């Protein structure tokens, strides 16, 4: 299809901005800076070993580096973080940033103006897939900075970022797969763009993404099954029982270990993703991080007609208490997520009352 038949990301943003006659275009400029960072990461990822970008990052002394999560940083984690920071710090639209790879809020350097937005991001999601050439992505969330920070231009503190997901102004992810895509919400539905490598532009290819309400596909890391709480065990057991169980139909299971790739499959054809709270590590309330993984993804999913939850309550209602706080996260096709929430609301049966069918047949029993 000729390039003139599709909207570019820039044209889409201008079109959306016309709905807000008072807007000054700052927000659009910010989204375009984020998109530029994603394009730079996409090119870097695409060269892989040819550019020597695979493997672990090492400090000057040659030692591996560890981020605030206690995870070994990949070279591409560090490079992607640098692209996000340096392509966004100069524009004058941001009061500050927070990143998976930065322990504390990133302050806009003194030589640049400060603006009214906060940018929060996971620069590269799916680190375990980098070296094996499986899809990875970037995730971002845009919030408004507190009024006093905008007015005074003061340095940010962690608490400035502790805003529930409903406060997000925009969110998106870039997927570095067979094609590079940018999936974006400005709070008015979800629009998908594919990077046209010949002109270096994101072109609108998926104008209004809608997640089917029902699905036969679920995604969970089943190696954690012995740590799951009862409602999750019950849900997965019922999916596995298929036609012969309570659900009366067969299900398919998927696990890529890149949430962005998983979410994209769900955006395109439905499904449910679970990384629930479990009792593997009492110090961690889940695997995924609230501010830069669950909240932006939750906003996108809900804007596409799906549902995003902790298992018990809407993820977007959770009041954050830490920059790198983890949380149980369940999202995808609405009816399936609502079912999982119902299972959490029901009382947990006493051990003796658990349906013997599960006890005998479950692949995942205690
Ligand atoms: P990150 O690479 O940013 O640390 O996040 C990886 C996340 C997420 O993308 C994925 O769903 C999950 O970790 C995979 O976890 P397991 O290794 O337990 O499968
Ligand atoms: Mn991640
Ligand atoms: Mn990451």
């Amino acid at each position: 299809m000729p390039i003139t038949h599709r909207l570019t990301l820039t044209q889409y943003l201008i079109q959306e901005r016309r709905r807000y006659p008072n807007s000054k275009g700052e927000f659009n400029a910010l989204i375009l800076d984020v998109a530029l960072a994603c394009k730079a990461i996409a090119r870097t990822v695409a060269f892989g070993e040819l550019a020597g970008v695979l493997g672990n990052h090492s400090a000057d002394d040659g030692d591996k580096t560890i981020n605030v999560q206690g995870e070994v940083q990949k070279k591409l984690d560090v490079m992607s973080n640098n692209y996000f920071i340096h392509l966004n710090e100069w524009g004058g639209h941001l009061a500050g940033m927070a990143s998976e790879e930065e322990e504390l809020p990133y302050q806009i350097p003194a030589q640049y103006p400060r603006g009214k937005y906060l940018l929060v991001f996971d620069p590269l999601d799916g680190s375990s897939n980098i070296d094996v050439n499986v899809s990875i992505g970037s995730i971002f969330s845009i919030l408004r900075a507190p009024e006093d920070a905008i007015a005074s231009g003061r340095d940010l503190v962690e608490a400035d970022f502790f805003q529930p997901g409903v406060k997000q102004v925009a969110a998106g992810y870039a997927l570095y797969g067979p094609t590079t895509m940018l999936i974006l919400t400005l709070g008015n539905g979800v629009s998908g763009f594919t990077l046209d490598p010949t002109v270096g532009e994101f072109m609108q290819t998926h104008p209004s993404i809608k997640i089917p309400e029902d699905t036969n596909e679920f995604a969970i890391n089943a190696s954690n099954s012995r740590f799951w709480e009862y409602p999750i065990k019950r849900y997965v057991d019922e999916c596995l029982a298929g036609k012969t169980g309570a659900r009366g139909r067969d299900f398919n299971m998927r696990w890529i270990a890149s949430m962005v790739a998983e979410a994209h499959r769900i955006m395109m054809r439905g499904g449910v993703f679970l990384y629930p709270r479990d009792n593997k590590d009492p110090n961690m309330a889940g695997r995924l991080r609230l501010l830069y993984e669950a909240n932006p993804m939750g906003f996108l999913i809900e804007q596409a007609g799906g549902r995003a939850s902790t298992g018990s309550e809407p993820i977007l209602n959770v009041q954050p208490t830490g920059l790198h706080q983890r949380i149980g996260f369940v999202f995808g096709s609405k009816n399936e997520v609502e079912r999982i929430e119902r299972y959490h609301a029901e009382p947990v049966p006493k051990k003796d009352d658990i349906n013997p069918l599960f006890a005998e047949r479950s692949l995942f029993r205690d």
Side-chain angles (χ1 to χ4, degrees):
M1 188 183 275
I3 185 171
T4 47
H5 288 209
R6 294 190 191 280
L7 285 181
T8 65
L9 173 62
T10 312
Q11 288 170 333
Y12 168 80
L13 291 170
I14 292 170
Q15 186 183 280
E16 287 295 302
R17 193 182 124 209
R18 286 181 184 144
R19 297 190 297 119
Y20 302 95
N22 294 331
S23 102
K24 292 200 290 279
E26 264 179 78
F27 176 75
N28 286 3
L30 168 58
I31 299 279
L32 290 174
D33 284 347
V34 171
L36 180 61
C38 295
K39 287 194 272 190
I41 297 168
R43 288 318 293 156
T44 311
V45 165
F47 280 94
E49 191 54 22
L50 291 172
V53 296
L54 303 186
N56 293 337
H57 181 258
S58 53
D60 292 342
D61 60 6
D63 237 17
K64 286 188 263 189
T65 59
I66 310 282
N67 68 12
V68 61
Q69 334 276 333
E71 294 162 350
V72 173
Q73 290 180 303
K74 298 282 183 184
K75 280 185 198 162
L76 277 170
D77 284 325
V78 175
M79 294 171 85
S80 304
N81 189 50
N82 285 335
Y83 278 129
F84 257 86
I85 285 182
H86 297 306
L87 292 172
N88 284 290
E89 67 185 351
W90 65 278
H93 321 302
L94 291 177
M97 298 184 234
S99 163
E100 177 184 322
E101 307 300 338
E102 303 279 335
E103 182 175 1
L104 300 169
Y106 181 84
Q107 312 293 349
I108 302 298
Q111 69 265 38
Y112 303 123
R114 290 183 175 183
K116 62 181 174 207
Y117 295 106
L118 305 178
L119 177 64
V120 188
F121 53 91
D122 174 355
L124 205 60
D125 175 68
S127 295
S128 71
N129 286 320
I130 291 173
D131 295 341
V132 295
N133 204 7
V134 170
S135 294
I136 46 184
S138 302
I139 312 171
F140 62 91
S141 162
I142 296 172
L143 296 160
R144 238 176 269 283
E147 285 304 329
D148 75 295
I150 301 171
S152 64
R154 65 163 167 79
D155 275 5
L156 296 182
V157 296
E158 292 183 48
D160 294 329
F161 292 83
F162 298 170
Q163 305 183 31
V166 285
K167 298 269 189 190
Q168 292 172 103
V169 179
Y173 64 78
L175 175 66
Y176 314 116
T179 62
T180 293
M181 292 190 72
L182 183 75
I183 308 298
L184 183 66
T185 183
L186 310 177
N188 177 35
V190 179
S191 195
F193 302 82
T194 305
L195 183 64
D196 179 340
T198 54
V199 291
E201 272 282 3
F202 280 112
M203 309 300 296
Q204 191 184 44
T205 45
H206 298 69
S208 181
I209 296 174
K210 291 272 171 279
I211 299 174
E213 290 190 350
D214 291 296
T215 182
N216 290 327
E217 223 161 43
F218 69 105
I220 192 163
N221 181 346
S223 70
N224 292 326
S225 59
R226 70 182 186 284
F227 306 113
W228 293 339
E229 295 174 345
Y230 174 76
I232 299 292
K233 280 192 175 146
R234 172 182 172 193
Y235 177 75
V236 172
D237 277 343
E238 289 181 0
C239 290
L240 294 173
K243 268 199 190 101
T244 64
R247 304 299 303 273
R249 58 190 167 93
D250 288 338
F251 284 77
N252 239 331
M253 191 167 83
R254 294 281 182 275
W255 190 250
I256 306 172
S258 281
M259 184 182 62
V260 167
E262 224 89 61
H264 193 67
R265 184 188 61 247
I266 290 170
M267 287 280 186
M268 294 295 106
R269 68 178 191 211
V272 60
F273 172 100
L274 307 95
Y275 216 124
R277 187 181 72 185
D278 60 28
N279 50 37
K280 191 174 186 175
D281 178 348
N283 297 317
M284 293 211 293
R287 166 84 172 85
L288 297 169
R289 278 64 50 120
L290 175 60
L291 286 184
Y292 42 81
E293 291 179 318
N295 271 347
M297 206 51 92
F299 190 22
L300 286 158
I301 293 286
E302 299 243 332
Q303 284 290 315
R307 191 165 174 86
S309 173
T310 61
S312 312
E313 63 170 322
I315 201 88
L316 300 182
N317 289 353
V318 175
Q319 174 60 48
T321 53
L323 212 51
H324 300 282
Q325 152 183 15
R326 298 183 191 249
I327 195 145
F329 192 28
V330 175
F331 67 82
S333 293
K334 198 164 183 278
N335 291 337
E336 220 56 23
V337 176
E338 282 176 355
R339 171 182 289 271
I340 295 164
E341 289 178 317
R342 277 202 307 278
Y343 288 5
H344 280 84
E346 289 173 15
V348 177
K350 286 194 233 85
K351 244 197 156 91
D352 301 344
D353 295 342
I354 292 181
N355 184 340
L357 199 64
F358 291 143
E360 271 167 39
R361 283 198 171 176
S362 170
L363 278 179
F364 298 141
R365 65 177 177 243
D366 295 322

